[in-house]
Amino acid sequence: MSTLFPVFAEHSRYVQRVRRRYAAELALLPPGLPDRAVIAALIETLLADRPLGPALRVARHLVLERLAVLDIEQGARVDDVTLAMTHLAEVTLDRALAAARLELDEIHGPPRTADGGDIAFWVLGMGKLGARELNVSSDIDLIYVYEDDGQTQGARPVTAHEYFANVAKRLYALIGDVTDDGQVFRVDLALRPNGKSGPPVVSLAMLEEYFLVQGREWERFAWLKSRVVAPLAGMGSPGDARTLQLRNLVTPFVYRRYLDYGVFEGLRQLHGKIRSEAKARAAGRPERANDVKLSRGGIREIEFIVQLLQVVRGGQFPEIRTRSTVKALAQLSAGGLMKAETAHKLSEAYVFLRRVEHRIQFLDDQQTHCLPQGDADLAWIAASLGLKCSREACELFEQLGEVRELVATEFDALLHEGGKPPGSCKGGQCSGPKPAVDGEDFLQGLPAPLAAAVRALADTPRVQGLREESRQRLAKLFHRAAQAVAAEECSLDAALRFVDWVGPLLRRESYLALLVERPAVQQRLLRLLGLARWPIRYLMQHPGVIDELADPLLLTARFDREAFITDLLDREQGWARSGEADEEALLDTLRRAHHAEVFRTLVRDVEGRITVEQVADDLSSLADAVLQIAITWAWARFGKAHREQPRLAVIAYGKLGGKELGYGGDLDVVFVFDDDDENASEIYGAFVRRLITWLTLRTSAGELFDIDTALRPNGNSGLLVTSLAHFEAYQTGRGSNTAWTWEHQAITRARFCAGNAELAARCESVRRQVLTAPRDAKALKHEVQAMREKVRAARPVKGELFDVKHSEGGMMDAEFALQTLVLTQAAAHPELLDNLGNIALLQRCEAAGLLPAGVGVGAANAYRELRRVQHKARLDEQSTALDAEAAAPLAAHRDAVRALWQAVFG
């Protein structure tokens, strides 16, 4: 209740009518917020002295009177009020449906399929009913669907379609007909397939065909909120297995398995139509200007903001799928798809507008969303919200104006309704006929090299076969690219690479739609394409990652392993809630998430925001996280799993082990287990084969890694997975089957990277035992040198070239020298046991006095620079074997590595 002065529900003329007419029945409703059980019991009580139709109507009046008191006088939460209204609709529809079917069964008999099976019937609630957000005086949007064709088996047989059409009529009579007691709800069937021209009921097969052939973009927004609201139990209820058929039909219609930016234009057109209709209704009727639902900045625009983001991304991010507007805002914020501050403000705006809407409707139980004209009514609404309102000043109007302006600004920004994107109106883009991508006037306005590339693309059958709308999209994108070149925002090479990138994507128009809708993304993409060559290759393989360019935190953030794992586990739960947590969905989810994070790192890299070492750290940490998630998901779906969590460890070697992973690098790993189960070897062998499939299989979303297990005990002739005890014995030389020197070299860079964390310490213990084992230093050096020569012979470099990795004085020389120092000196110098990477360990060797002054630091600096040169060459798709001129700046670094080699091997 207001703190200004007492505000009572009895100001409502509707409440006054209910209290006059149903005074004797008001006490039948127990105190508090009515739920399903309470409403069902109330109807049963009312049925004692009246038929079902009147009982349902009286029950509605009693519930609404109670909600008016709870809302106006006791400050009930909006979601409590809307949920109670939703329960009222569900229970009354359930009772009406049962009565209608019982009546028709007596006349026609129940419908059966050709083979004698029952036929389920679903009452689908759409809009606010589907979202459990029903207004106090709302109509209900329904769609009726039956499971299959068939015929009744009674004395007067009819087809299943006729039977269920009659059910729909009886339902309308019980719920929607206006009688002396009013009506339960106004029923609207306009959202059904083919709208008002379509049949009142449709079969599953009819619905499926409609979705495939005729379903329109705006209908996807309507079906997003759909759910079964009756029957509540038994055949066809939400918990019935048959209902999954319906969900499996609706979900792929609403949510596409790609980022669906093509829906922007559909929603833009729908919104324009709604605004035009609202303006037409308000013309000459000033009282309609303050429509809290349909006017600019109203409830509908908040719902559109939410639904647009859900439909665009919900196909790949099931965790944002929810029917509730407020919950969806929170999930969009949690998923990084909306700023937390924006989501909070829109949520507050939504609650405020819904409160105002309820006050309006409580006045006369009318389905209106317009503020009343009477001073007393306005003052009552304002006071019930803790605001003042008089002829001189009205805080209600002021707050309403602020809220609507906030909502409208966010909505316009999302759909570019408040003004076209920057730069889009130059060159005749905003007036007159839209240019065609192959039009001579358009091509002549582009720089000559760009025009030639665009003309060559435009003349291909792929472009000639596009819809006119798509050809205009292409023209807009190429025009923007030309503008960016003219403004020196990107190079001409970048614009030409952009044309090359667009070519293969012409059949995947959602990506072109994304760029059209997000000019800033195209601007960032053009800049990225001008910085290096390799990004275009990655973008051609994984075009969906361009969506990452929309993230304002892209350049400043770093990879967060724990957040990445948490997000994926949330996504798995989202798939599970949608009934889609199958292996295919999870494989694709893992690949898309990995590709997105690799791309984010790539952008930061080429923009110079992170160092080569940081790139490797982030890519290595990402690989660790993907391995961990793959183990978790694959084990949960492994038929031979004999415990909740596998006692499996993944030991990383090579670049992954040393946290020096690059783009597209394969993973050198060894799998070990520590499990006393008598069938452990067989179980983990089967599981690791399954896990490798999870990691290497190419799906529609692409691929993850190549996995190399050649460093396992006995190499490719050994078991794919071995016990930790056997691994320890093999590495430490106990028994006849022991590791070779080159395997000990490799283990200097090994580390536990994924699996059961309880095994990490033991894996590290084995590694340290190997590193500190007594050795003949002279013999070891001889073996390492022999191995180095063997590798050099296998990777010959032309005499006049310097390969930064394989040539004498290159990275591999530094790595072999360091490995020798670690294997011979770690027992006496435990500071060398930590797997810190080559650079840090070289510095530690000098600090420990194992290298002459300046040699360790010089070699470390050289290794860093050689890595940088190698990294840059690969980004530009250039050879790492440099000619004399290119290699000249590296001469001092090459000498530093030679000095390291000389200090170690003499």
Side-chain angles (χ1 to χ4, degrees):
M1 186 181 292
S2 170
T3 57
L4 299 174
F5 56 84
V7 181
F8 296 102
E10 66 185 12
H11 177 88
S12 157
R13 290 172 286 278
Y14 169 70
V15 169
Q16 293 170 22
R17 292 196 300 272
V18 171
R19 289 177 177 177
R20 284 195 303 268
R21 178 161 185 179
Y22 302 108
E25 288 86 355
L26 286 172
L28 297 177
L29 187 60
L33 193 70
D35 59 16
R36 276 183 187 164
V38 168
I39 295 170
L42 173 64
I43 293 170
E44 284 295 330
T45 303
L46 291 168
L47 282 170
D49 56 4
R50 50 176 62 80
L52 179 61
L56 296 179
R57 285 159 176 75
V58 174
R60 175 188 183 272
H61 293 311
L62 301 182
V63 169
L64 255 69
E65 189 275 343
R66 171 64 53 77
L67 292 179
V69 172
L70 294 174
D71 191 4
I72 304 300
E73 299 180 9
Q74 299 180 25
R77 290 163 51 95
V78 168
D79 54 355
D80 285 339
V81 173
T82 56
L83 184 60
M85 285 301 303
T86 301
H87 286 159
L88 176 67
E90 291 170 344
V91 172
T92 53
L93 282 167
D94 184 64
R95 292 302 302 260
L97 176 60
R101 294 204 63 166
L102 182 63
E103 179 185 346
L104 289 169
D105 285 353
E106 291 176 353
I107 300 171
H108 303 292
R112 306 285 187 197
T113 60
D115 58 5
D118 293 329
I119 302 176
F121 180 74
W122 296 284
V123 179
L124 288 172
M126 311 292 281
K128 289 187 170 61
L129 173 57
R132 298 181 175 89
E133 298 173 335
L134 201 59
N135 299 336
V136 293
S137 295
S138 178
D139 61 357
I140 52 176
D141 295 297
L142 302 179
I143 293 177
Y144 302 125
V145 181
Y146 61 94
E147 185 180 17
D148 204 353
D149 291 326
Q151 191 153 336
T152 65
Q153 307 297 314
R156 295 169 55 187
V158 293
T159 65
H161 184 86
E162 292 172 309
Y163 173 90
F164 289 117
N166 286 330
V167 168
K169 289 180 182 177
R170 299 292 197 281
L171 265 177
Y172 187 87
L174 286 168
I175 298 293
D177 275 355
V178 179
T179 70
D180 186 49
D181 288 303
Q183 62 185 169
V184 188
F185 287 99
R186 289 171 290 274
V187 176
D188 191 339
L189 302 180
L191 292 176
R192 67 187 186 270
N194 293 304
K196 294 178 181 179
S197 63
V201 296
V202 294
S203 68
L204 270 180
M206 295 166 65
L207 182 63
E208 181 177 21
E209 182 179 3
Y210 180 79
F211 283 162
L212 289 173
V213 178
Q214 295 176 263
R216 291 160 288 184
E217 291 292 349
W218 69 264
E219 289 179 288
R220 295 170 60 196
F221 295 96
W223 279 90
L224 184 153
K225 291 179 178 286
S226 67
R227 67 181 177 90
V228 174
V229 294
L232 293 175
M235 181 176 61
S237 67
D240 181 15
R242 300 188 190 198
T243 304
L244 290 175
Q245 302 174 76
L246 185 59
R247 184 176 70 180
N248 293 340
L249 206 62
V250 172
T251 298
F253 174 66
V254 176
Y255 298 110
R256 308 292 160 83
R257 285 291 180 91
Y258 51 83
L259 295 172
D260 191 11
Y261 277 82
V263 299
F264 267 75
E265 189 57 37
L267 182 61
R268 198 176 280 124
Q269 293 172 3
L270 174 61
H271 178 255
K273 179 182 177 182
I274 290 172
R275 268 197 181 171
S276 296
E277 290 174 353
K279 288 179 180 177
R281 284 194 300 269
R285 300 185 65 182
E287 72 276 9
R288 290 190 173 271
N290 282 311
D291 187 319
V292 296
K293 179 180 180 181
L294 298 179
S295 292
R296 181 175 183 271
I299 293 168
R300 179 57 54 83
E301 292 193 356
I302 300 177
E303 293 171 339
F304 275 175
I305 290 171
V306 170
Q307 291 169 4
L308 179 59
L309 293 175
Q310 286 181 303
V311 170
V312 167
R313 297 168 179 272
Q316 290 188 10
F317 300 90
E319 63 271 30
I320 68 171
R321 299 181 190 176
T322 180
R323 300 176 184 90
S324 162
T325 302
V326 172
K327 289 179 181 177
L329 285 166
Q331 291 174 353
L332 290 169
S333 173
L337 305 178
M338 180 182 288
K339 291 180 181 178
E341 181 184 7
T342 301
H344 178 69
K345 287 182 177 179
L346 287 176
S347 183
E348 287 188 330
Y350 183 77
V351 170
F352 173 76
L353 290 171
R354 292 299 302 271
R355 282 192 180 281
V356 174
E357 179 184 46
H358 283 171
R359 302 305 192 275
I360 293 169
Q361 294 178 348
F362 275 135
L363 282 170
D364 294 294
D365 188 27
Q366 294 294 310
Q367 189 192 359
T368 179
H369 313 278
C370 300
L371 282 172
Q373 296 293 291
D375 292 345
D377 287 345
L378 283 173
W380 177 76
I381 291 175
S384 72
L385 297 167
L387 302 171
K388 298 177 182 178
C389 191
S390 65
R391 284 181 174 272
E392 291 71 31
C394 187
E395 294 175 347
L396 173 62
F397 284 136
E398 292 173 8
Q399 186 165 341
L400 187 60
E402 292 173 3
V403 166
R404 286 175 53 185
E405 186 59 34
L406 164 73
V407 173
T409 300
E410 292 296 334
F411 184 84
D412 290 346
L414 188 64
L415 285 186
H416 309 310
E417 292 289 316
K420 297 297 179 182
S424 63
C425 290
K426 299 175 184 176
Q429 294 283 352
C430 290
S431 60
K434 295 180 179 178
V437 70
D438 54 355
E440 279 304 316
D441 289 344
F442 170 71
L443 291 169
Q444 288 176 9
L446 305 178
L450 183 59
V454 171
R455 179 180 281 107
L457 178 64
D459 289 342
T460 62
R462 286 179 298 172
V463 174
Q464 292 298 319
L466 290 176
R467 295 178 294 120
E468 186 62 26
E469 178 188 2
S470 298
R471 287 152 57 83
Q472 291 170 354
R473 276 180 179 165
L474 278 179
K476 178 178 284 190
L477 295 177
F478 294 145
H479 177 74
R480 284 188 197 155
Q483 288 182 320
V485 173
E488 299 183 351
E489 294 170 354
C490 76
S491 65
L492 181 58
D493 280 347
L496 294 172
R497 290 174 188 168
F498 177 69
V499 177
D500 291 339
W501 176 74
V502 164
L505 297 179
L506 294 175
R507 292 186 179 181
R508 305 170 78 172
E509 294 185 34
S510 61
Y511 299 124
L512 304 183
L514 185 158
L515 294 175
V516 168
E517 296 295 342
R518 291 287 181 264
V521 171
Q522 185 185 0
Q523 187 176 26
R524 285 188 178 181
L525 176 60
L526 287 166
R527 173 173 166 76
L528 179 66
L529 294 176
L531 293 174
R533 294 175 183 271
W534 196 76
I536 191 172
R537 183 182 301 278
Y538 196 79
L539 283 162
M540 283 181 169
Q541 293 172 340
H542 313 295
V545 299
I546 57 170
D547 185 57
E548 301 300 319
L549 293 172
D551 184 356
L553 300 178
L554 174 63
L555 295 178
T556 56
R558 289 283 301 280
F559 175 68
D560 184 331
R561 181 181 186 275
E562 296 310 314
F564 178 81
I565 290 176
T566 299
D567 285 348
L568 281 178
L569 293 178
D570 287 347
R571 200 153 304 148
E572 180 198 20
Q573 292 303 308
W575 288 124
R577 285 192 298 272
S578 301
E580 300 174 83
D582 55 53
E583 194 165 295
E584 180 184 359
L586 296 180
L587 287 170
D588 286 347
T589 294
L590 201 53
R591 280 149 179 76
R592 291 192 189 102
H594 177 260
H595 299 157
E597 286 297 339
V598 169
F599 182 67
R600 293 168 74 88
T601 299
L602 174 62
V603 174
R604 294 167 194 142
D605 180 9
V606 298
E607 288 279 5
R609 298 302 182 100
I610 54 177
T611 65
V612 174
E613 289 81 6
Q614 289 173 322
V615 170
D617 284 346
D618 287 357
L619 292 177
S620 300
S621 182
L622 172 60
D624 292 354
V626 170
L627 284 167
Q628 190 65 52
I629 286 288
I631 290 170
T632 301
W633 286 354
W635 183 261
R637 290 154 183 83
F638 180 52
K640 295 181 180 179
H642 61 298
R643 55 168 67 238
E644 186 175 348
Q645 298 294 334
R647 289 189 61 79
L648 179 78
V650 183
I651 303 174
Y653 280 76
K655 294 295 185 185
L656 178 59
K659 295 187 178 180
E660 294 182 354
L661 199 63
Y663 301 111
D666 59 359
L667 306 187
D668 295 301
V669 293
V670 169
F671 299 98
V672 297
F673 67 87
D674 183 26
D675 194 322
D676 294 333
D677 190 282
E678 61 181 5
N679 297 314
S681 182
E682 176 189 339
I683 291 169
Y684 287 103
F687 176 64
V688 167
R689 285 191 291 274
R690 177 85 171 273
L691 178 62
I692 289 175
T693 299
W694 270 66
L695 295 168
T696 59
L697 183 69
R698 183 175 185 83
T699 73
S700 60
E703 53 195 8
L704 279 175
F705 304 110
D706 287 328
I707 300 294
D708 190 338
T709 61
L711 288 168
R712 66 187 187 270
N714 297 308
N716 290 328
S717 63
L719 295 173
L720 189 59
V721 58
T722 186
S723 72
L724 186 49
H726 179 263
F727 177 75
E728 180 176 9
Y730 178 83
Q731 292 290 349
T732 56
R734 294 200 297 271
S736 59
N737 184 26
T738 60
W740 295 82
T741 296
W742 63 266
E743 291 178 279
H744 286 173
Q745 286 180 253
I747 210 170
T748 62
R749 307 181 74 185
R751 63 182 177 86
F752 170 91
C753 70
N756 193 314
E758 294 177 8
L759 306 186
R762 188 153 167 220
C763 292
E764 178 62 13
S765 174
V766 173
R767 174 180 170 274
R768 292 186 176 230
Q769 287 180 60
V770 173
L771 300 189
T772 57
R775 288 182 174 84
D776 182 331
K778 184 176 180 180
L780 177 71
K781 291 179 182 179
H782 177 74
E783 288 187 54
V784 172
Q785 286 176 300
M787 178 57 68
R788 180 69 188 94
E789 289 305 318
K790 184 177 180 180
V791 175
R792 198 190 310 278
R795 298 272 188 160
V797 180
K798 292 182 180 179
E800 68 276 10
L801 299 178
F802 171 59
D803 188 298
V804 296
K805 179 176 182 179
H806 295 288
S807 290
E808 179 258 343
M811 294 166 63
M812 188 166 284
D813 279 0
E815 292 166 357
F816 272 51
L818 175 62
Q819 290 163 10
T820 303
L821 285 171
V822 171
L823 289 172
T824 58
Q825 303 296 330
H829 298 278
E831 64 268 31
L832 301 184
L833 293 172
D834 297 331
N835 188 352
L836 299 175
N838 292 315
I839 294 171
L841 286 174
L842 284 167
Q843 294 168 341
R844 284 195 177 189
C845 285
E846 180 177 327
L850 302 176
L851 293 171
V855 170
V857 172
N861 292 337
Y863 190 83
R864 179 183 289 112
E865 180 60 16
L866 292 173
R867 273 186 69 188
R868 188 194 66 78
V869 171
Q870 178 194 53
H871 187 73
K872 185 175 186 303
R874 288 176 174 172
L875 282 178
D876 285 331
E877 297 187 329
Q878 301 295 318
S879 172
T880 57
L882 310 178
D883 59 26
E885 182 180 355
L890 298 175
H893 295 298
R894 188 176 186 184
D895 288 342
V897 174
R898 287 171 171 155
L900 170 67
W901 187 269
Q902 181 65 28
V904 175
F905 296 104

